[in-house]
Amino acid sequence: MVLLAHKFSKLYSKLDNHIHNHHDQSMELSSFFQVFHLQVSILIGQLALDLESGFEVLSFSWIQKCFEVLPFMDKAFAKLVLDIDYPMSAWKVDSIERYLNYTLCLLELFNSISYSLSHIGQTRLSLSHGLLLLENKNSSSVASATRHLKPIQLGCFSFSFSTNFGKDLNIQGDNNNSKARFFSSKEIVINEALKEMKHIGFCVCGIMLSGLCNNGKPYLELRKMVGGFDGSLVLMLDTKINEQLLKKVPILKEVKEINDVVADLVVASDEVKNDVAKELKTKLQVFEKLCDVVKMKVDDMFAKVMSQRTELIDCIRMIKQPLKSVA
């Protein structure tokens, strides 16, 4: 009886130690996730503060700040993976699939943003060419210039993703508690972080595309595809931009200013036409620099995401882990 009690005591002690160790590990993992969550939330909160409700237009500078969230979030996620000692090579199939699908859609969104920037670049060049023709001051050049001096028209387009957003990203599965019980603690942390990254990534890209297209439809579509932003860090930001992107016709501040000057130039008298033309030229030069900066950031992020995907896919091939074809 004494021997049995001794064995039971040792078993209880081991069980108690296991529970304490598991609790300590969970607390540690939770703290790492909270650091990731806090770092990103501060940046999102600042964006919400910058976008005051009284503003009627978006600005390229604010859109640029929006996009800077993505590389910052990418670094924060990489640090989280390192902190919890859970490299991509150790991820479960579910997390790998979610990451590959998310990044694939992100790459397609970057392509859409680049396309929009290219369209803006073409209209800007047309205006610049019109100004050059206007400077010649002969009748034929002035007539030709008029055909080029048109307001910047930013077109909207429909998305055509190579994956089914809702299904392949398994949005509904993110909140499936019964499924979450089969994950390791580290797996749960990764999946929670990936869920937040999806919401933020699509919110930011939606804002950029709606601003670049002068249409709230891209943002609306992306928000719908991820099932809304309830419970996400971007919920406050979503509330603040709702009126600007959805209830009004969104137009970039810089585009509106250029279009206003173009309208003035078309009707300007000979006495002031030269001054108005110089103003338009200056605004176009500033706008070109802003576009180039945003395009460079988009291209850099595209290359980085592509590199990360390639690294993960190479790792999968090495360990020969079975995986659905999402690459």
Side-chain angles (χ1 to χ4, degrees), residues 93-105 108 160-174 179 191 194 198 202 225-226 309 323-327:
V93 173
D94 187 78
S95 290
I96 294 174
E97 288 179 348
R98 293 184 186 200
Y99 181 82
L100 288 177
N101 276 303
Y102 159 65
T103 52
L104 179 60
C105 293
E108 293 191 44
S160 179
F161 294 107
S162 60
T163 60
N164 183 318
F165 250 33
K167 182 178 179 181
D168 290 348
L169 285 175
N170 201 14
I171 300 300
Q172 297 301 322
D174 286 329
K179 187 175 182 178
N191 276 277
L194 283 174
K198 284 184 289 189
F202 299 145
M225 286 173 181
V226 296
R309 280 176 55 82
L323 184 66
K324 295 178 183 177
S325 179
V326 297

Side-chain angles (χ1 to χ4, degrees), residues 41-53 62 65-66 233-241 244:
S41 66
I42 290 174
L43 208 56
I44 296 295
Q46 186 58 53
L47 284 175
L49 289 175
D50 291 342
L51 190 62
E52 298 179 4
S53 58
W62 187 78
K65 288 182 66 175
C66 272
L233 287 173
V234 294
L235 181 59
M236 186 195 324
L237 184 61
D238 175 63
T239 302
K240 284 187 173 292
I241 66 175
Q244 296 191 44

